[in-house]
């Protein structure tokens, strides 16, 4: 076996594929974690009715093929040693012959994925939570409507003939991709532990599935949801099948790794970096003092520990679901990038913003950030929201309140609808998301985590205002990676592990993730943000009061 880091190894490459909510990305990555090529491709989403979100596994596979073919253009394919996938934790449904089955009343089998952010199974998740079954301890005490058990129950209760009775395979999207590439139906420990109530130590708990009304899954020994489970990064079967190799433009037989959920791949891509020389509190400290935050359509807060820590309202503790041998707690905010887009695109001044940004060849966010700089006058930008406050749970609260009934709030509206007004509303939204992160960190710390440094990645990591606000509002430094596409580095780390070029995930992480820019908090603004945080906490308190007034006689 070749030695990692040796000169002869500089020519070994790995392909990482990251299936996010809005697009599929691929990268060709070397052993130092450097991206040599990158491609992306948007993917379709359907919202046939409110809170129903669907995708197509065929569309997604086609998009994977487009991007992988692009990133290996012009290179010697013999240099590619491994392939790793990560994806959102959406539910893919196939029949016994592995053909797509409809997850909708229209019977459209092309739409065979219930997306992670789909909230159709509210009634089902309430009943699951009412069981108070012991597996719920390992998802923060309350199961989320975004997990797979309530979605399976919804399918059984609502699409019995057209979907449930015909189904042969229910896959988490990351596992669907590794099956498609290798023909191996083994599931990743990551998916099953985090979204399906599987225990790394005890396996499936029959009594849970029987209690919630899904006893049929137990009866056939979990063959539909997975009875072979492998750690992420394990090499699957005989590697890439000839058919998948042709589709993806990669050599047949290369190592393909057991996958990860996208947030977890982001965690691997950032959390193990060597931080020496950056003046960070986590230098010389255990890796458990680092919190990875993966910010795309949603934000996921990944904290690890040596022993299990039970944080009410924060998913986990999950054993070995991200970094082998460590417990993981995963906090989250269901809509963050999606919320910012929603607020900006829904504003009356959005067409003007688009026209002005286009004229300057800037993204709308770069334009908004420079506009805020223009209107702030002598004060720091963040102070523009002294009388405008947002509660960001427009799609319920994932963590730490674990309350899907919560709604968004905006306090401090005026009659103006101009570009200044849009920019300030955008700023207040970004700040609200950062306050939500502070609330999650406080919950994790009061349960026993000790976090000093944030490692942020995902599409929102490209927004300097978003990064600075997370630093100012949490009071912690934010480390950005040298490679902006850190989630893809995480996927490539999986491919590198599967190839056998690294002895462990930890070793691959340490070699392939690298510190880029570090953003420090502006300590002088702390008092202002502490006051705004007090208001933030009042917002949810008041929202609950309003709900209880309306429920009363
Ligand atoms: N250049 C950019 N500047 C500011 N924000 C960005 C930029 N690119 C993407 N975003 C934000 O990131 C979000 C998407 O992040 P991404 O990681 O691509 O999502 P996903 O993985 O869920 O598909 C968008 O909702 C947008 O708000
Ligand atoms: O639940 C999650 C991870 O456990 C993610 O939020 C979900 O997979 C969507 O991710 P993204 O915002 O990157 O599209």
């Amino acid at each position: 076996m070749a030695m990692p880091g040796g000169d002869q190894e500089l020519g070994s490459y790995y392909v990482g594929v990251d299936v996010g909510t809005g697009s599929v990305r691929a990268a060709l990555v070397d052993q130092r974690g450097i991206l040599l090529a990158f491609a992306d491709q948007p993917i379709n989403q359907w919202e046939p009715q409110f809170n129903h979100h669907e995708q197509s596994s065929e569309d997604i596979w086609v998009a994977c093929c487009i991007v992988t073919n692009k990133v290996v253009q012009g290179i010697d394919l013999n240099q590619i040693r491994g392939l790793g996938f990560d994806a959102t934790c959406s539910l893919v449904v196939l029949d016994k012959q592995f053909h797509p089955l409809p997850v909708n009343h229209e019977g459209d089998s092309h739409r065979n994925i219930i997306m992670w952010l789909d909230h159709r199974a509210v009634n089902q998740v309430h009943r699951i939570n009412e069981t108070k079954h012991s597996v719920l301890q390992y998802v923060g005490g309350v199961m989320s409507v975004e997990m797979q058990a309530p979605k399976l129950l919804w399918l059984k209760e609502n699409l019995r003939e057209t979907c449930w009775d015909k189904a042969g395979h229910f896959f988490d999207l990351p596992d669907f991709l590794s099956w498609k590439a290798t023909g191996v139906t083994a599931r990743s420990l990551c998916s099953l532990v985090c979204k399906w109530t599987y225990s790394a130590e005890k396996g499936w708990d029959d009594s849970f599935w029987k209690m919630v009304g899904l006893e049929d899954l137990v009866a056939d020994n979990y063959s539909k949801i997975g009875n072979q489970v492998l750690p992420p990064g394990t090499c699957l079967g005989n590697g890439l099948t000839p058919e998948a190799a042709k589709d993806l433009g990669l050599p047949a037989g290369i190592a393909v790794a057991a996958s990860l959920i996208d947030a977890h791949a982001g965690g691997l891509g950032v959390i193990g970096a060597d931080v020496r020389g950056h003046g960070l509190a986590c230098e010389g400290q255990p890796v458990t003092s680092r919190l990875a935050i993966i910010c795309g359509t949603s934000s996921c807060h990944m904290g690890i520990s040596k022993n299990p820590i039970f944080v009410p309202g924060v998913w986990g503790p999950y054993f070995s679901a991200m970094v082998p041998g460590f417990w993981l707690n995963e906090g989250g905010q269901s809509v963050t990038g999606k919320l910012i887009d929603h607020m900006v695109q829904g504003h009356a001044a959005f067409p003007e913003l688009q026209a002005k940004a286009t004229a300057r060849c800037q993204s709308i966010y770069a334009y908004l950030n420079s506009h805020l700089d223009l209107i702030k006058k002598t004060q720091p930008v963040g102070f523009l929201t002294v009388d405008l406050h947002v509660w960001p749970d427009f799609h319920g609260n994932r963590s730490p309140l674990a309350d899907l009934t919560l709604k968004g709030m905006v306090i401090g509206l005026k009659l103006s609808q101009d570009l200044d007004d849009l920019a300030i509303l955008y700023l207040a939204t970004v700040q609200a998301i950062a306050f939500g992160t502070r609330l999650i960190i406080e919950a994790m710390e009061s349960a026993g985590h000790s976090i000093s440094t944030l490692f942020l990645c995902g599409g929102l990591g490209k927004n300097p205002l978003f990064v600075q606000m997370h630093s100012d509002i949490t009071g912690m430094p934010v480390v950005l990676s040298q490679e902006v596409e850190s989630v893809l580095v995480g996927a490539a780390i999986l491919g590198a592990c599967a190839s056998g070029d690294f002895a462990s995930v930890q070793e691959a992480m340490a070699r392939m993730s690298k510190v880029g820019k570090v953003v420090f908090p502006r300590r002088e603004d702390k008092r202002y943000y502490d006051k705004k945080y007090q208001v933030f906490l009042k917002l949810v308190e008041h929202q609950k009061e309003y709900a209880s007034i309306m429920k009363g006689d």
Side-chain angles (χ1 to χ4, degrees), residues 220-247:
D220 66 11
N221 191 30
Y222 301 100
S223 67
K224 291 185 183 168
I225 61 173
N227 50 20
Q228 196 199 347
V229 189
L230 295 171
T234 308
C235 184
L236 294 171
N238 298 320
L240 195 61
T241 62
E243 192 192 351
K246 196 159 155 262
D247 287 354

Side-chain angles (χ1 to χ4, degrees), residues 46-355:
W46 290 268
E47 196 179 343
Q49 61 191 87
F50 180 62
N51 269 340
H52 288 226
H53 296 265
E54 297 171 4
Q55 282 182 322
S56 153
S57 62
E58 284 180 350
D59 273 9
I60 288 175
W61 182 250
V62 169
C64 290
C65 297
I66 293 172
V67 290
T68 50
N69 274 282
K70 281 189 187 160
V71 296
V72 298
Q73 283 286 310
I75 71 138
D76 176 358
L77 294 184
N78 293 318
Q79 292 175 283
I80 300 172
R81 307 252 315 133
L83 169 65
F85 291 99
D86 72 73
T88 62
C89 48
S90 299
L91 177 67
V92 183
V93 187
L94 303 179
D95 70 12
K96 294 172 181 90
Q97 286 74 44
F98 293 93
H99 297 133
L101 277 173
V103 294
N104 45 72
H105 291 293
E106 298 78 51
D108 178 356
S109 58
H110 192 58
R111 288 159 29 209
N112 68 323
I113 297 181
I114 302 185
M115 293 179 71
W116 62 272
L117 76 168
D118 185 301
H119 282 191
R120 71 181 67 181
V122 170
N123 176 290
Q124 285 74 15
V125 84
H126 280 320
R127 282 184 277 137
I128 290 173
N129 282 319
E130 272 166 12
T131 66
K132 305 228 178 300
H133 193 281
S134 57
V135 297
L136 301 177
Q137 284 170 33
Y138 289 86
V139 290
V142 183
M143 182 169 285
S144 162
V145 68
E146 294 173 12
M147 291 182 174
Q148 307 300 16
K151 288 172 177 162
L152 292 169
L153 192 54
W154 187 93
L155 288 173
K156 183 172 177 182
E157 292 177 346
N158 291 274
L159 299 177
R160 180 109 203 193
E161 285 86 37
T162 52
C163 181
W164 184 258
D165 287 344
K166 292 184 181 163
H169 310 273
F170 297 101
F171 281 106
D172 224 67
L173 184 53
D175 294 331
F176 164 81
L177 296 168
S178 59
W179 163 72
K180 195 76 183 148
T182 61
V184 176
T185 57
R187 308 304 206 269
S188 162
L189 186 72
C190 172
S191 317
L192 291 199
V193 167
C194 298
K195 308 293 168 178
W196 300 70
T197 72
Y198 186 86
S199 157
E201 292 159 320
K202 297 184 222 143
W204 293 115
D205 187 327
D206 295 355
S207 67
F208 169 73
W209 296 100
K210 288 180 184 163
M211 197 180 264
V212 303
L214 289 170
E215 59 290 333
D216 20 2
L217 297 175
V218 185
D220 66 11
N221 191 30
Y222 301 100
S223 67
K224 291 185 183 168
I225 61 173
N227 50 20
Q228 196 199 347
V229 189
L230 295 171
T234 308
C235 184
L236 294 171
N238 298 320
L240 195 61
T241 62
E243 192 192 351
K246 196 159 155 262
D247 287 354
L248 295 165
L250 300 173
I254 57 162
V256 180
S259 311
L260 277 173
I261 298 169
D262 55 356
H264 303 63
L268 284 198
V270 298
I271 209 167
D274 179 356
V275 296
R276 276 174 300 179
H278 293 278
L280 290 164
C282 66
E283 184 175 333
Q285 294 300 310
V287 68
T288 49
S289 64
R290 306 175 180 197
L291 183 75
I293 315 187
I294 296 81
C295 310
T297 303
S298 62
S299 288
C300 302
H301 307 71
M302 323 296 282
I304 58 176
S305 56
K306 268 287 173 203
N307 297 307
I309 301 180
F310 293 84
V311 190
V314 171
W315 294 345
Y318 301 134
F319 186 61
S320 275
M322 188 173 85
V323 180
F326 284 84
W327 291 84
L328 169 72
N329 284 106
E330 177 181 352
Q333 294 165 285
S334 291
V335 289
T336 53
K338 189 175 173 71
L339 176 63
I340 297 172
D341 298 345
H342 172 83
M343 296 298 250
V344 169
Q345 289 166 16
H347 195 278
F350 180 62
E352 183 189 346
L353 166 66
Q354 259 188 318

